[in-house]
């Protein structure tokens, strides 16, 4: 491969990674070191200079939860078609550990959406062969081997259809809306980054913005 083209590809990939904010600082530093070590001498120095501003400005959405080992474990489970069990912190359990839940099933896909890693899991209680549940990796507490041998035969997770459905939500004309929202404000802000909170009380939250 042309080294000039390869250098451009690594620069582009690095900027995408740094813009995502998906990894905690320690893991992002490790990833960037691996990419830098792909080059030597003047090319390594050139790459470091090209990324210096972006590295300095890195802002992680996920500051604490390590993802690399989890990504490896789930990737192996997907390619080997093996089931996993994990403990999950839903948004209701973020402040109450007792609400953490265990999930067992076969992962069908691992992907990024809105700068968050997700796994699509076919759970053993599910009756429909094409029904998957999506879980954020940064809310998974621990991944284990299932205690029982599960012979699950899920249908294929259609990632293309999922992305087309979600991207079409952002394809329409922008309109200004007001809505009453009863949940965590940060959850809505992640889905609608331009939304502005107009009013707040203990029971309802009113959010306004372009969508």
């Amino acid at each position: 491969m042309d080294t000039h083209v390869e250098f451009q590809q690594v620069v582009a990939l690095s900027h995408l990674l740094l813009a995502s904010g998906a990894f905690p600082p320690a893991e992002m530093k490790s990833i960037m070191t691996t990419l830098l070590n792909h080059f030597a001498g003047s090319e390594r120095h050139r790459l470091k200079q090209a990324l210096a501003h972006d590295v300095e400005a890195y802002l992680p959405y996920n500051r604490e939860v390590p993802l690399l080992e989890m990504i490896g474990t789930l990737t192996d489970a997907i390619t080997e078609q093996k089931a996993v069990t994990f403990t999950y912190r839903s948004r209701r359990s973020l402040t109450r550990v007792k609400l953490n839940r265990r999930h067992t099933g076969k992962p069908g896909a691992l992907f990024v959406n809105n700068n968050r890693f997700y796994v699509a899991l076919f759970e053993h209680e599910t009756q429909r062969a094409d029904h998957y549940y999506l879980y954020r990796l940064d809310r998974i507490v621990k991944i284990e081997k299932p205690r029982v041998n599960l012979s699950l035969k899920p249908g294929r997770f259609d990632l293309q259809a999922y992305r087309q459905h979600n991207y079409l939500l952002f394809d329409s004309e922008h309109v200004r809306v007001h809505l009453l929202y009863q949940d965590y404000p940060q959850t809505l802000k992640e889905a609608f980054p331009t939304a502005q909170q107009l009013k707040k009380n203990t029971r309802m939250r009113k959010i306004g913005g372009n969508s």
Side-chain angles (χ1 to χ4, degrees), residues 47-66:
L47 179 61
K48 193 172 183 179
Q49 283 188 317
L51 301 176
H53 193 192
D54 215 348
V55 169
E56 183 182 353
Y58 181 63
L59 182 64
Y61 292 106
N62 166 27
R63 294 182 176 274
E64 299 178 358
V65 182

Side-chain angles (χ1 to χ4, degrees), residues 53-102:
H53 193 192
D54 215 348
V55 169
E56 183 182 353
Y58 181 63
L59 182 64
Y61 292 106
N62 166 27
R63 294 182 176 274
E64 299 178 358
V65 182
L67 297 181
L68 291 175
E69 184 175 351
M70 204 181 303
I71 289 171
T73 299
L74 291 171
T75 299
D76 290 343
I78 292 169
T79 56
E80 297 170 12
Q81 298 185 341
K82 291 183 177 180
V84 297
T85 293
F86 56 74
T87 304
Y88 189 76
R89 298 180 300 116
S90 68
R91 63 173 179 266
R92 290 179 298 174
S93 67
L94 290 178
T95 57
R96 297 175 62 185
V97 176
K98 291 182 179 180
L99 292 177
N100 288 353
R101 294 190 59 187
R102 289 168 63 87

